[in-house]
Amino acid sequence: MARKTTHRMGLKPVAIIALIATGLAGCGPAPRGSGINDPYEASNRKTHTFNKQVDSALFRASDEDSKPVGPIGHAVGNVGNNLGLPSKVLNSILQGRPEPAIKNTFRFLINSTVGLGGIFDPAGSGLSLPETYTDFGETLHVWGVGEGSYLELPIIGPSTERDALGTVVDLLINPLNALDPDPRLASMAFRLGAKVETRKQYSATVDSVLYGSADSYAQSRLLYLQNRRFELNGEEKNDAAAYDPYDDPALQ
């Protein structure tokens, strides 16, 4: 009996979000954010300093130690990304976008079976079915919620009030949470591993922003807001606001 109750509790967030979606279905997307809205700059800078210390201690590699991501790193990243797909499917549904929901569903099914739980990526490498990224922050944007103030979160890094709420909700609404036993901790561990591998993959660019900028906080804030606003609004790539912080100018 206890297990059945746990399942119902695990599904409640999904039901609540579905009700919210019904109520907001008629709302249009939020207007594109502009300028820098950072009333919490003093505390954000303290968090940024902490994040740099963590990054320097755990993730920053010297030139001698720098190595490309290996097969184990790729496998961890693949599994983490695969476990995040169900919440992306749900977010696409809540946004009223069936096509990416269907594509991510097929990607999840193929990689979870043929790809041995997501260790390999036959959907992407063999079937040209890449992941369509989305999150609950984008869902809130589609529902008309503004981005709010800029925030820098411990460990997670740059965000906004809207995206910070989205991060919390994404942890709650992943359909995998309803499974028994609850794989939430394993999922979070693999998804964290995927973030670490992404950090390593783009180490040169991230290091240039964090350690090569005169004001790494202001630079990180600017790049995050520009890139996020582009993701949510789809301006052309030549728009000055469409800068991707993971594009390394040295490689262009």
Side-chain angles (χ1 to χ4, degrees):
M1 292 299 292
R3 289 186 176 181
K4 291 182 180 179
T5 302
T6 302
H7 286 181
R8 288 195 293 269
M9 291 296 291
L11 290 174
K12 277 186 177 181
V14 178
I16 293 172
I17 299 303
L19 289 175
I20 296 174
T22 302
L24 295 175
C27 299
R32 182 173 187 246
S34 60
I36 304 294
N37 179 18
D38 190 4
Y40 312 117
E41 181 170 354
S43 59
N44 280 338
R45 283 186 176 273
K46 292 180 180 178
T47 304
H48 181 75
T49 299
F50 167 76
N51 285 341
K52 281 185 65 174
Q53 291 172 342
V54 173
D55 182 85
S56 180
L58 299 181
F59 307 123
R60 188 184 186 192
S62 65
D63 293 337
E64 294 78 10
D65 296 333
S66 181
K67 297 179 181 179
V69 178
I72 295 179
H74 277 300
V76 171
N78 287 343
V79 172
N81 291 330
N82 191 60
L83 291 173
L85 283 172
S87 65
K88 293 178 177 63
V89 171
L90 181 56
N91 274 305
S92 293
I93 293 172
L94 294 176
Q95 295 163 18
R97 295 168 172 166
E99 183 176 348
I102 293 171
K103 289 182 177 179
N104 276 341
T105 297
F106 277 110
R107 178 177 171 82
F108 177 74
L109 293 175
I110 293 169
N111 284 354
S112 296
T113 53
V114 181
L116 302 179
I119 294 176
F120 304 103
D121 182 19
S125 59
L127 301 177
S128 299
L129 194 62
E131 173 185 309
T132 300
Y133 182 84
T134 188
D135 52 40
F136 195 75
E138 182 173 7
T139 299
L140 291 173
H141 166 77
V142 171
W143 291 351
V145 178
E147 72 179 17
S149 301
Y150 177 79
L151 295 174
E152 175 137 359
L153 304 177
I155 307 300
I156 295 174
S159 186
T160 61
E161 289 178 322
R162 178 179 61 199
D163 287 341
L165 174 60
T167 298
V168 174
V169 174
D170 277 327
L171 293 175
L172 297 176
I173 68 172
N174 192 325
L176 293 178
N177 295 339
L179 298 180
D180 187 14
D182 189 342
R184 197 173 316 186
L185 292 179
S187 175
M188 290 176 62
F190 275 107
R191 293 173 71 180
L192 177 60
K195 296 294 184 183
V196 172
E197 292 307 316
T198 299
R199 165 64 176 93
K200 185 173 182 179
Q201 182 179 356
Y202 296 104
S203 60
T205 304
V206 176
D207 286 352
S208 70
V209 173
L210 290 181
Y211 307 106
S213 303
D215 185 344
S216 61
Y217 171 76
Q219 185 78 345
S220 299
R221 178 183 61 189
L222 176 64
L223 295 182
Y224 175 80
L225 291 175
Q226 288 180 338
N227 188 59
R228 184 59 167 165
R229 288 166 183 172
F230 166 72
E231 288 178 343
L232 298 181
N233 295 275
E235 283 83 2
E236 294 298 323
K237 284 288 188 180
N238 60 6
D239 188 326
Y243 183 86
D244 185 346
Y246 290 136
D247 280 345
D248 189 346
L251 300 179
Q252 296 179 353

